[in-house]
């Protein structure tokens, strides 16, 4: 089992999808955020796929690894399958992804390189589930009640949302919603 992230100690390596085909998801995300008044300053969680986590001190090493990995010339395909709710210590409404070969190859190559340098903070990487978070209780101004979260999940959990897109870039992020503070480094894929 993957341990929850230590937000005060870790950075996230994320795959940023092309938003052109994600308009239906962005509309649902905004409707949920507005209905429950979730986020301050209208900063929503940017849709992304977390590929790995590293310690804050390892950002320079990770930048070197990403610079070499991002020299690929094939698009990274992303296939969204449906909504899925996670109700662990934190509550998350996510989009479940079908693992494409290009996504799996990129993620495994990245993890291998991070492991060689001993900077990945993820143990049991084989248990990692690729997903895109639509709503999360991290960074929200008003917690959802258990009943509200259950109702939200009942209405969306398992709802098919078939979308295909590609990834634009890989970035290293700080755990914040503020776009001016979030990005540590960015690498274009295409």
């Amino acid at each position: 089992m993957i341990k929850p992230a230590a937000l005060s100690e870790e950075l996230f390596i994320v795959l940023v999808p092309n938003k052109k085909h994600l308009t239906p998801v962005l509309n649902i995300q905004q409707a949920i955020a507005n209905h429950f008044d979730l986020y301050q300053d209208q900063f929503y969680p940017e849709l992304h796929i977390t590929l790995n986590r590293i310690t804050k001190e390892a950002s320079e090493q990770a930048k070197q690894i990403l610079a070499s990995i991002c020299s690929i010339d094939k698009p990274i395909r992303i296939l969204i399958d449906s909504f899925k709710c996670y109700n662990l210590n934190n509550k998350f409404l996510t989009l479940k992804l079908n693992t494409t070969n290009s996504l799996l190859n990129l993620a495994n190559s990245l993890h291998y390189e991070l492991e060689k340098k001993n900077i990945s903070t993820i143990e049991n990487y084989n248990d990692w589930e690729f997903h895109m978070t639509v709503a999360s209780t991290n960074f929200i101004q008003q917690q959802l009640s258990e009943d509200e979260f259950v109702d939200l999940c009942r209405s969306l959990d398992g709802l098919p949302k078939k979308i295909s897109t590609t990834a634009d870039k890989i970035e290293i992020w700080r755990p914040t919603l503020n776009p001016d503070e979030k990005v540590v480094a960015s690498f274009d894929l295409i």
Side-chain angles (χ1 to χ4, degrees):
M1 177 167 193
I2 305 289
K3 293 179 186 175
L7 297 181
S8 63
E9 301 168 13
E10 293 179 307
L11 298 173
F12 299 83
I13 299 177
V14 302
L15 194 60
V16 181
N18 180 317
K19 309 265 185 315
K20 185 170 70 172
H21 301 290
L22 297 178
T23 302
V25 176
L26 293 167
N27 291 340
I28 290 170
Q29 181 184 43
Q30 184 176 5
I32 291 168
N34 292 342
H35 178 76
F36 292 106
D37 194 26
L38 294 181
Y39 305 105
Q40 295 178 0
D41 304 321
Q42 300 305 308
F43 292 142
Y44 306 133
E46 184 176 349
L47 294 180
H48 67 280
I49 302 166
T50 302
L51 297 176
N52 220 299
R53 301 187 313 233
I54 58 172
T55 62
K56 288 182 177 180
E57 299 77 25
S59 66
E60 290 306 315
Q61 289 177 292
K63 287 178 191 178
Q64 293 173 1
I65 292 168
L66 289 174
S68 67
I69 284 181
C70 290
S71 62
I72 59 173
D73 58 356
K74 293 187 225 174
I76 306 301
R77 292 187 57 228
I78 300 168
L79 297 176
I80 297 169
D81 185 36
S82 61
F83 286 97
K84 180 174 182 174
C85 286
Y86 291 100
N87 194 359
L88 303 169
N89 294 336
N90 294 311
K91 300 172 186 121
F92 298 96
L93 176 64
T94 67
L95 291 167
K96 184 179 175 192
L97 301 179
N98 286 333
T99 306
T100 63
N101 286 336
S102 57
L103 174 60
L104 188 60
N105 290 339
L106 173 69
N108 286 339
S109 296
L110 173 63
H111 186 70
Y112 175 76
E113 294 299 324
L114 295 173
E115 278 290 297
K116 275 193 339 190
K117 300 284 187 187
N118 200 30
I119 60 175
S120 173
T121 60
I122 298 176
E123 298 173 8
N124 304 321
Y125 192 74
N126 291 335
D127 294 341
W128 191 254
E129 280 189 45
F130 297 110
H131 64 276
M132 260 188 245
T133 300
V134 175
S136 163
T137 59
N138 290 330
F139 314 113
I140 66 172
Q141 61 185 3
Q142 178 177 315
Q143 291 290 328
L144 289 176
S145 71
E146 187 67 28
D147 289 340
E148 288 173 320
F149 185 75
V150 168
D151 287 345
L152 178 60
C153 284
R154 280 189 186 134
S155 64
L156 293 175
D157 198 17
L159 181 72
K161 192 43 95 180
K162 307 285 187 202
I163 296 174
S164 176
T165 190
T166 57
D168 284 342
K169 54 187 135 184
I170 295 179
E171 295 182 334
I172 302 174
W173 284 1
R174 290 180 189 93
T176 180
L177 294 181
N178 186 330
D180 295 330
E181 299 172 2
K182 178 174 54 185
V183 179
V184 174
S186 183
F187 300 88
D188 290 333
L189 287 171
I190 300 173

